[in-house]
Amino acid sequence: PVDQLEVHRAIESLYRDQLKPYGRILRKRLAERAAERGSPKLGDVIDRELRSACEASPWLRVEDSEGAEWTATFVNQPENFVDVHNPEDVYSPQLWVDLASYFNSAQGDDVVLPGGRYMCAKVLAERRLPFLLGYSLGQVAHIVQLAISHKKLLGYSDGALVPYARSQSMLKDRHAECQRPCLSSSAVKTPIVATWAMFRDHLQQLMDEAATADQKIALSNLKRLFRTRFGAELSETALGHAKLSELLQDPRCADICEVKLLSSGHVLVPPLRPKPRNRISLVEGL
């Protein structure tokens, strides 16, 4: 059974960190607190059990959030959470100079950080870096997000976060600018890279087949489907995007599919309001 008192304490600690208590973050915090007490198994809580425990508490308000997320907040306590997705940079220019200098000079284990924003922020906060002292964990998480999405100080490599100059993200950005494929080693032998015309045709065929079978297409399976079904490599960088999710949100895909986040992950679904299909000329597809 879930200890309701411990859940309350974990949520209180997230309030102090200015982190909104999403279910997945609350589970991590419970696991961290259990490990600190030498009882790691007590932190192994199933999501639905945790949500049920929160819903049973008269002190908590449980609400659904975007993309299969949910939150548990105190009913009568003011909220001062940091919106980690806010694109506005509210930090001093000197912070970014110091952070860039730190990442550029990082060596050894300091180069590789956890791929998750929350865990990355925790590691950086635990390093007691002078330029991050005084910031809450929520603020550090926001700084991490901005460092990835806007400042190009961090990028992904094999699921971890590393300095941008050493990341696959930089390589993909450069390939996307030149509209060149950035293929994995497993795809080198694939003879055909999908053009825009091929991409739209094949994507429409997959979406039609999925609709007929009343199924959804997992975003993580899309490249494999292109290889196995059509003998073509789907490269988002060859089509001008650094990320597959960004490619599928391109206006040229709006009449074919939308990306939706479910509990099982990101999936492709038919658009809510199908638009007239745009014909792509042969020249545009080349």
Side-chain angles (χ1 to χ4, degrees):
V2 179
D3 185 339
Q4 201 169 78
L5 179 59
E6 176 57 20
V7 170
H8 287 177
R9 288 171 175 167
I11 293 175
E12 286 174 351
S13 73
L14 291 174
Y15 267 71
R16 289 193 295 272
D17 287 336
Q18 294 187 293
L19 286 167
K20 192 164 188 176
Y22 288 98
R24 57 185 171 80
I25 299 297
L26 180 54
R27 287 181 61 195
K28 290 178 181 179
R29 181 55 56 90
L30 285 168
E32 292 165 2
R33 291 172 59 85
E36 289 171 359
R37 298 193 305 272
S39 306
K41 289 186 177 180
L42 294 179
D44 189 15
V45 180
I46 299 175
D47 185 78
R48 62 176 178 273
E49 293 180 352
L50 177 57
R51 175 163 182 160
S52 295
C54 292
E55 289 175 334
S57 170
W59 309 107
L60 297 177
R61 179 192 302 110
V62 177
E63 297 176 307
D64 289 321
S65 188
E66 185 177 354
E69 292 265 29
W70 58 274
T71 61
T73 54
F74 289 114
V75 174
N76 295 315
Q77 189 164 332
E79 299 179 0
N80 188 30
F81 305 127
V82 175
D83 180 2
V84 296
H85 297 291
N86 185 353
E88 183 181 0
D89 179 7
V90 296
Y91 308 99
S92 70
Q94 187 60 46
L95 168 69
W96 299 112
V97 172
D98 292 338
L99 197 61
S101 176
Y102 173 75
F103 289 139
N104 290 336
S105 62
Q107 299 292 329
D109 293 341
D110 288 347
V111 171
V112 182
L113 294 162
R117 183 177 50 243
Y118 171 82
M119 290 306 301
C120 180
K122 276 190 66 70
V123 169
L124 288 175
E126 288 167 359
R127 290 180 182 176
R128 307 292 295 172
L129 302 172
F131 50 87
L132 289 181
L133 294 178
Y135 289 108
S136 68
L137 187 59
Q139 289 173 314
V140 177
H142 186 213
I143 290 168
V144 168
Q145 178 62 29
L146 290 174
I148 298 169
S149 60
H150 288 71
K151 301 297 183 178
K152 303 292 185 183
L153 296 181
L154 289 172
Y156 289 97
S157 181
D158 295 327
L161 281 169
V162 298
Y164 181 74
R166 310 184 190 192
S167 71
Q168 187 182 18
S169 300
M170 184 192 72
L171 184 64
K172 293 184 72 174
D173 283 339
R174 289 183 175 178
H175 279 68
E177 289 173 2
C178 303
Q179 295 193 13
R180 289 190 296 149
C182 185
L183 307 179
S184 64
S185 57
S186 62
V188 170
K189 296 181 180 179
T190 303
I192 301 173
V193 176
T195 62
W196 261 108
M198 293 168 57
F199 171 58
R200 279 179 50 85
D201 287 344
H202 295 335
L203 181 61
Q204 186 65 68
Q205 183 176 338
L206 291 173
M207 291 300 297
D208 289 344
E209 293 173 356
T212 300
D214 195 23
Q215 296 177 343
K216 296 179 177 63
I217 299 175
L219 182 61
S220 58
N221 287 337
L222 189 59
K223 290 190 176 185
R224 180 185 60 80
L225 288 172
F226 265 69
R227 283 193 291 268
T228 57
R229 289 290 311 282
F230 309 115
E233 181 64 26
L234 173 56
S235 170
E236 59 270 33
T237 59
L239 301 177
H241 291 275
K243 297 179 181 178
L244 184 59
S245 58
E246 291 175 356
L247 168 64
L248 290 159
Q249 294 175 64
D250 188 292
R252 286 169 284 187
C253 297
D255 61 323
I256 300 176
C257 68
E258 292 180 357
V259 180
K260 187 174 182 180
L261 179 60
L262 303 180
S263 57
S264 57
H266 288 90
V267 297
L268 304 184
V269 298
L272 290 177
R273 295 181 179 178
K275 300 176 182 179
R277 294 185 188 174
N278 300 320
R279 293 185 179 275
I280 295 182
S281 68
L282 178 61
V283 172
E284 186 179 352
L286 293 177

